[in-house]
Amino acid sequence: MLWRAIRNMEVMVHSSSFLLPKLHQPAKIPANNYNLVVLNQHLPRFMPRLWAQAKLRICADGGANRIFDEMSQMTSDQDNESNRNRYIPEIIEGDMDSIRPEVKIFYSHQLCVLVTGALGGRFDHEAANINVLYVFSDMRIVLLSDDCLIRLLPKTHQHEIYIESSLEGPHCGLFPIGAPSKSTTTTGLKWNLSDAKMKFGRMISTSNIVDSEKVTVQSDADLLWTISLRNLT
């Protein structure tokens, strides 16, 4: 009876083929389908191979320091900046007590979070979602609806916005958030701003028109950029 039970059990296949280059994966073994979790210890020498074949790459807190510091030592490309831009984890998770500040800033500027369902419905919910853009201004977060998208343009940077004209526009707007703007300048709009002052209760830029494939914005205040979305065809 035991032999019959064993015989009828489903077979679980095990393989370390994830250690092999993608071109040398054995045909008789099912394809790898794994997620990679990086902890805060020295990376194994075959890390670039694991990274390349993983479906999802997750750094647990200080594991991001390891990717930031050590991946360039494992490739033939000795350009640290190029390597760091190549190896970007999809997720960094944890209480953030181990990740170094400069590493956190670097990756937060690389990752973009798209949020659907954030616009429409109750206005207090919309306001809370827009507030998230301001609270987490060191992250790239885009709020999306059927009709428009909204992103934060932090005052710490000059901004170049490349317009996907088949999907975006023509209507757009700019609004100061957190504090009034004493000087905002744009290019690429039908009605550009030139050293303009903006604040709620006075002037804000609404119902403007995108007039170029690239819009530039420079301001002394954090701004919300919104642009209408066209129907997909």
Side-chain angles (χ1 to χ4, degrees), residues 98-160:
S98 299
I99 187 172
R100 300 197 309 272
E102 71 273 19
V103 177
K104 181 179 178 181
I105 291 172
F106 175 80
Y107 287 124
S108 66
H109 286 171
Q110 307 302 316
L111 302 172
C112 182
V113 179
L114 305 181
V115 183
T116 64
L119 304 173
R122 282 173 47 183
F123 180 72
D124 59 330
H125 287 173
E126 283 189 307
N129 293 329
I130 291 171
N131 187 57
V132 167
L133 299 180
Y134 183 68
V135 172
F136 297 97
S137 60
D138 59 344
M139 295 181 62
R140 292 172 178 257
I141 303 175
V142 180
L143 308 183
L144 288 157
S145 74
D146 272 344
D147 304 313
C148 69
L149 65 78
I150 300 176
R151 67 175 83 231
L152 182 76
L153 306 182
K155 63 185 178 183
T156 53
H157 290 71
Q158 299 181 41
H159 299 276
E160 296 181 350

Side-chain angles (χ1 to χ4, degrees), residues 153 157-163 174 184-189 191-194 210-219 223 225:
L153 306 182
H157 290 71
Q158 299 181 41
H159 299 276
E160 296 181 350
I161 305 168
Y162 291 88
I163 306 301
L174 283 169
T184 295
T185 298
T186 68
T187 66
L189 302 178
W191 297 286
N192 279 307
L193 304 174
S194 180
V210 171
D211 200 35
S212 173
E213 293 183 352
K214 182 175 78 171
V215 173
T216 68
V217 181
Q218 185 173 356
S219 180
L223 302 178
W225 161 262

Side-chain angles (χ1 to χ4, degrees), residues 68 79-88 106-107 110:
F68 188 85
D79 184 338
N80 284 340
E81 183 176 356
S82 173
N83 273 298
R84 286 167 180 165
N85 287 324
R86 183 183 308 160
Y87 297 107
I88 305 293
F106 175 80
Y107 287 124
Q110 307 302 316

Side-chain angles (χ1 to χ4, degrees), residues 43-67:
L43 302 180
R45 63 184 182 279
F46 37 78
M47 188 64 182
R49 189 171 296 169
L50 298 180
W51 187 277
Q53 299 185 59
K55 304 298 183 184
L56 180 68
R57 305 158 189 88
I58 304 169
C59 288
D61 206 338
N65 297 338
R66 302 295 178 172
I67 298 299

